[in-house]
Amino acid sequence: MKRIHFSLREWLQHTASAGYVAKGIIYLTIGWLALLTTIGLGGSESGASDVIRKIALWPFGRVLLALMGLGLTAYVLWRLAQAFWDTERKGNDWKGWLQRLGFAISGGLYATLAWQCATLIFHSLSQSQGSGSSQNTEQLMGIPGGRWLLLAIGLVFVGVGFHQLVRAWRRAYRKNWHLQSRPNPPLPLLEAIARLGLAARGVTFLLIGGLLALAAWRLSPGDAQGLGAALDLLAHQPFGDWLLGAVAVGLIAYGGYCFINAGYRRVRHQRH
């Protein structure tokens, strides 16, 4: 049984690491494109789906998409393991189930990105561009109670955004790092990257949640947009270039934080 637990932990470790690498690439690209926009060298305010479509146009884009799709699938499997096997030992009280539900939702969101990678690999780019955020939101609002469901989703994003800011402030990520197995880790640098990245992601999630809630309140699907629209909103504020630049650097740092987790993240398994 001990060997089985060890094998499960090894599998989860490799799965989590591959997933964090894929996630890190996406956030690094998002941040880099936003930073290029800020300094006037092209770029764009892109979300994760936009970035995946851009990667498809790169040299060897389909090969990169295949690798990223596998990494994202691994991340989804790890999130589902956290949710259903309780590998993080969150427990069965209401708080534990809420956290495990968050893992499952996160897995579902990244499953859509993995599916998009597969679609771009096996079909033409034009076929993958059929539905956007506004169209999906319009469909959601068309079902009974869809407006309130959209509002609830927006509030979840706001809650996650605040949670990311709290994690950055309290340095809660430290408990998930197995630093003792790495000789002389550059801890101040790792912490600076983690705190900046989590704070930037928290800000963007607050903006996304606000846009979703606004769409539900106004019954306007066009207001419901993702990360790209949140970055565009920042860019059009007073001192927008500075705001967008700061968040862009933060999203690049969050990509770095994902790479840190690929190497340092402690992966647990459920006790029996």
Side-chain angles (χ1 to χ4, degrees), residues 99 103 176 228 237:
Q99 290 176 300
F103 294 146
N176 291 324
Q237 301 307 306

Side-chain angles (χ1 to χ4, degrees), residues 164-228:
Q164 297 289 287
L165 293 172
V166 170
R167 288 187 69 212
W169 177 258
R170 295 183 176 176
R171 302 189 300 174
Y173 49 83
R174 284 283 302 272
K175 64 183 179 182
N176 291 324
W177 289 354
H178 53 88
L179 300 173
Q180 67 279 2
S181 63
R182 301 291 192 274
N184 301 318
L187 193 55
L189 176 61
L190 297 181
E191 290 227 54
I193 292 173
R195 299 186 82 176
L196 178 59
L198 286 170
R201 193 171 186 242
V203 169
T204 57
F205 268 56
L206 288 174
L207 291 174
I208 293 170
L211 289 171
L212 291 172
L214 183 63
W217 182 260
R218 291 182 175 179
L219 289 175
S220 174
D223 289 329
Q225 300 291 334
L227 180 54

Side-chain angles (χ1 to χ4, degrees), residues 9-272:
R9 188 176 65 184
E10 279 188 326
W11 178 81
L12 288 173
Q13 183 70 64
H14 293 312
T15 300
S17 295
Y20 272 118
V21 168
K23 186 178 176 182
I25 290 172
I26 290 175
Y27 273 94
L28 280 173
T29 308
I30 291 172
W32 179 247
L33 290 174
L35 186 61
L36 288 179
T37 301
T38 303
I39 60 180
L41 294 178
S44 62
E45 298 93 3
S46 301
S49 294
D50 299 322
V51 162
I52 288 174
R53 283 195 290 269
K54 285 180 171 66
I55 290 175
L57 300 175
W58 293 357
F60 307 104
R62 290 195 174 189
V63 175
L64 293 173
L65 282 181
L67 294 174
M68 185 172 294
L70 290 173
L72 289 170
T73 301
Y75 188 79
V76 171
L77 292 174
W78 180 60
R79 282 303 199 193
L80 294 180
Q82 289 177 302
F84 295 108
W85 294 347
D86 194 19
T87 58
E88 300 294 309
R89 302 172 191 165
K90 298 299 183 182
N92 293 315
D93 58 2
W94 70 269
K95 186 177 180 180
W97 277 111
L98 189 61
Q99 290 176 300
R100 291 165 68 178
L101 177 62
F103 294 146
I105 292 173
S106 174
L109 292 174
Y110 284 98
T112 62
L113 296 180
W115 177 255
Q116 185 180 5
C117 289
T119 302
L120 285 168
I121 291 170
F122 294 108
H123 301 282
S124 68
L125 182 62
S126 61
Q127 286 177 302
S128 70
Q129 295 175 324
S131 67
S133 297
S134 297
Q135 183 177 350
N136 294 335
T137 305
E138 188 173 359
Q139 293 172 351
L140 177 61
M141 293 177 69
I143 66 175
R147 176 185 186 183
W148 303 110
L149 179 57
L150 182 63
L151 179 60
I153 293 173
L155 294 177
V156 168
F157 269 94
V158 170
V160 172
F162 276 118
H163 179 64
Q164 297 289 287
L165 293 172
V166 170
R167 288 187 69 212
W169 177 258
R170 295 183 176 176
R171 302 189 300 174
Y173 49 83
R174 284 283 302 272
K175 64 183 179 182
N176 291 324
W177 289 354
H178 53 88
L179 300 173
Q180 67 279 2
S181 63
R182 301 291 192 274
N184 301 318
L187 193 55
L189 176 61
L190 297 181
E191 290 227 54
I193 292 173
R195 299 186 82 176
L196 178 59
L198 286 170
R201 193 171 186 242
V203 169
T204 57
F205 268 56
L206 288 174
L207 291 174
I208 293 170
L211 289 171
L212 291 172
L214 183 63
W217 182 260
R218 291 182 175 179
L219 289 175
S220 174
D223 289 329
Q225 300 291 334
L227 180 54
L231 295 177
D232 185 64
L233 180 64
L234 278 176
H236 288 85
Q237 301 307 306
F239 306 102
D241 286 344
W242 290 98
L243 291 173
L244 181 61
V247 172
V249 171
L251 291 174
I252 291 172
Y254 186 79
Y257 169 69
C258 291
F259 284 114
I260 293 170
N261 278 329
Y264 287 93
R265 181 64 157 84
R266 178 186 289 112
V267 174
R268 305 174 179 89
H269 59 82
Q270 188 179 26
R271 288 176 178 171
H272 293 279

